[in-house]
């Protein structure tokens, strides 16, 4: 984004719900469905300070599937993120 002179501002809406959890695996994993909301999220041109509109086909709310793993530091890290703009929420 820095290379393209853009920055994000605002709030990124979430409504995650865990759909699978395996804490007994060698590397504990979880999968969650999340309703992503972009209505309060803005992209700005850092040179002009003007907003850059989202593409007209971009839904403002959509489902994403997220896979996370619990690593050695005991922190959950996102290892896979699959947005699905064809599924509204």
């Amino acid at each position: 984004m820095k290379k393209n002179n853009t920055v994000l501002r605002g709030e990124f809406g979430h409504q995650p719900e865990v759909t699978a959890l395996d804490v007994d695996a060698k590397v504990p994993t979880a999968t969650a469905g999340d309703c992503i909301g972009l209505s309060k999220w803005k992209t700005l041109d850092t040179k002009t300070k003007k907003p850059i509109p989202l593409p007209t086909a971009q839904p403002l709310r959509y489902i994403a599937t997220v896979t996370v793993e619990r690593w050695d530091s005991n922190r959950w890290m996102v290892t896979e993120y699959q947005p699905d703009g064809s599924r509204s929420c």
Side-chain angles (χ1 to χ4, degrees):
M1 291 187 75
K2 184 176 182 179
K3 186 177 177 180
N4 292 322
N5 299 312
T6 58
V7 66
L8 297 175
R9 295 285 186 251
E11 297 177 22
F12 191 70
H14 288 281
Q15 293 176 332
E17 183 177 317
V18 175
T19 57
L21 178 64
D22 186 357
V23 293
D24 296 323
K26 183 176 180 178
V27 176
T29 60
T31 303
D34 197 357
C35 178
I36 306 297
L38 303 178
S39 63
K40 296 181 181 179
W41 192 45
K42 306 295 178 211
T43 304
L44 299 174
D45 182 309
T46 57
K47 290 183 177 182
T48 65
K49 307 294 186 218
K50 293 184 179 181
I52 300 169
L54 290 171
T56 55
Q58 173 68 51
L60 293 181
R61 292 174 57 89
Y62 61 89
I63 299 289
T65 302
V66 181
T67 302
V68 296
E69 296 178 349
R70 189 168 64 199
W71 292 356
D72 291 338
S73 62
N74 223 18
R75 299 182 84 181
W76 290 93
M77 302 296 288
V78 175
T79 57
E80 189 174 338
Y81 177 82
Q82 295 179 323
D84 186 350
S86 68
R87 294 177 54 210
S88 183
C89 52

